Amino acid sequence: MSKEIIDFLDYLRIERKMSDNTVESYKYTLNKLEKESKKNLILCNKNDLKTILITNKKSEKVKSINHEITILRQFFSYHNKESVVKDIDLLKLEKNLPKYLTKDEVERLLNIPLVTPLDYRNKAMLELIYATGLRVSELVNLKVNDIDFEMCNLRVLGKGNKERIVPIGSVALKYNKIYIDEYRVKLLKNNLIDELYPNNFGRKMTRNGFNFILKELKKKCDINAYLTPHVLRHSFATHLLIGGADLRSIQLLLGHENINTTNIYTHIVNRELKDNYIAFHNRSRKGK
């Protein structure tokens, strides 16, 4: 890894106070691009970078390439070489609507058999993430004291270390209280950690660990729909909007900085309304 990349990562970490996960993402991307360029990244010219990115198009998604372009812009700007990337434009994204589970699929996922301490931990996690719409990184970083059972809310540290308070429903509170009071200590295996949900070895749960749990539960619950932690977040937001919640409230619950990010869920609801109209209205189809 070149000195220029190291200096830039230090700047992100120290000056811009980016999270460790974000800095690692930048590090991975810059290292990857430097290897593909076969020379120090800072020595690349505009044609070098375009060649790398065009080559990547064959195997990477447009969103991933745009992520690389965004990081390159910041990297070269930091080193006062903005002109190198000035004419490299972001690719146009296809507007794919977020995937989400139906309410029936959510019910099947949440109604897991409760036998072992791990079952109770998984139940508590699933109920909480669906009740609050947390990002998976926010979920695994929760501390025991972040849940206020008296006020029925949750303190969440989101992107950019911004804190928000999210209300929790009675069902999620109930299963998290049972889990904390009766089962959490059994999972710690004599380890001392503050995180609310330890992994199977009594250490801090990781995002990959939760992804694996979700993948296994998807099989057990016989859910055929695409399922990731972010799909649960989309399900939370979509079900709220369908139920009549206003967009501004959903924005605050999700921790979105920009209302336009939240606005994507209105397109899901509009599509669902149109589909229902076509399916059920007796004069909606051709030939009537």
Side-chain angles (χ1 to χ4, degrees), residues 17-137:
K17 300 187 185 307
M18 286 188 173
S19 70
D20 291 341
N21 287 335
T22 303
V23 174
E24 281 299 313
S25 171
Y26 276 56
K27 178 181 176 181
Y28 171 81
T29 300
L30 290 170
N31 274 332
K32 172 175 168 289
L33 292 170
E34 190 163 72
K35 287 177 182 176
E36 290 171 354
S37 70
K38 297 179 181 177
K39 60 182 175 181
N40 189 320
L41 193 59
I42 200 68
L43 300 177
C44 290
N45 59 35
K46 194 178 300 180
N47 289 331
D48 293 330
L49 296 179
K50 284 185 175 180
T51 299
I52 296 168
L53 295 167
I54 290 169
T55 302
N56 287 348
K57 282 184 186 179
K58 296 177 182 177
S59 58
E60 294 191 21
K61 295 179 180 178
V62 170
K63 192 173 182 180
S64 298
I65 297 169
N66 283 346
H67 178 65
E68 292 174 352
I69 294 171
T70 301
I71 290 176
L72 284 172
R73 284 177 176 176
Q74 295 180 54
F75 174 72
F76 281 97
S77 177
Y78 171 75
H79 289 289
N80 297 313
K81 298 185 70 173
E82 294 94 334
S83 60
V84 177
V85 288
K86 185 178 179 181
D87 297 329
I88 300 178
D89 296 323
L90 295 176
L91 305 178
K92 289 185 178 181
L93 283 169
E94 293 181 13
K95 292 187 177 180
N96 294 322
L97 295 180
K99 294 180 172 61
Y100 64 98
L101 299 183
T102 65
K103 291 183 179 180
D104 176 65
E105 288 167 334
V106 170
E107 285 298 320
R108 276 191 281 146
L109 180 66
L110 296 180
N111 289 332
I112 59 175
L114 299 176
V115 180
T116 69
L118 290 174
D119 294 331
Y120 279 91
R121 181 205 61 190
N122 294 345
K123 173 73 170 174
M125 285 194 299
L126 289 172
E127 289 287 356
L128 191 71
I129 197 170
Y130 177 65
T132 58
L134 296 184
R135 301 176 178 93
V136 64
S137 58

Side-chain angles (χ1 to χ4, degrees), residues 112 119 215-223:
I112 59 175
D119 294 331
K215 186 177 179 181
E216 292 301 302
L217 290 175
K218 178 180 182 291
K219 294 177 187 174
K220 290 180 181 178
C221 298
D222 195 28
I223 294 173

Side-chain angles (χ1 to χ4, degrees), residues 126-159:
L126 289 172
E127 289 287 356
L128 191 71
I129 197 170
Y130 177 65
T132 58
L134 296 184
R135 301 176 178 93
V136 64
S137 58
E138 295 169 344
L139 179 76
V140 299
N141 287 318
L142 286 176
K143 307 295 190 292
V144 176
N145 292 333
D146 287 336
I147 296 185
D148 188 329
F149 287 97
E150 289 188 9
M151 299 301 294
C152 303
N153 62 34
L154 182 70
R155 184 174 64 245
V156 182
L157 197 62
K159 284 187 175 180

Side-chain angles (χ1 to χ4, degrees), residues 117 182-190:
E182 301 179 31
Y183 297 100
R184 182 175 178 273
V185 69
K186 297 177 182 178
L187 298 176
L188 291 176
K189 304 184 188 298
N190 297 320

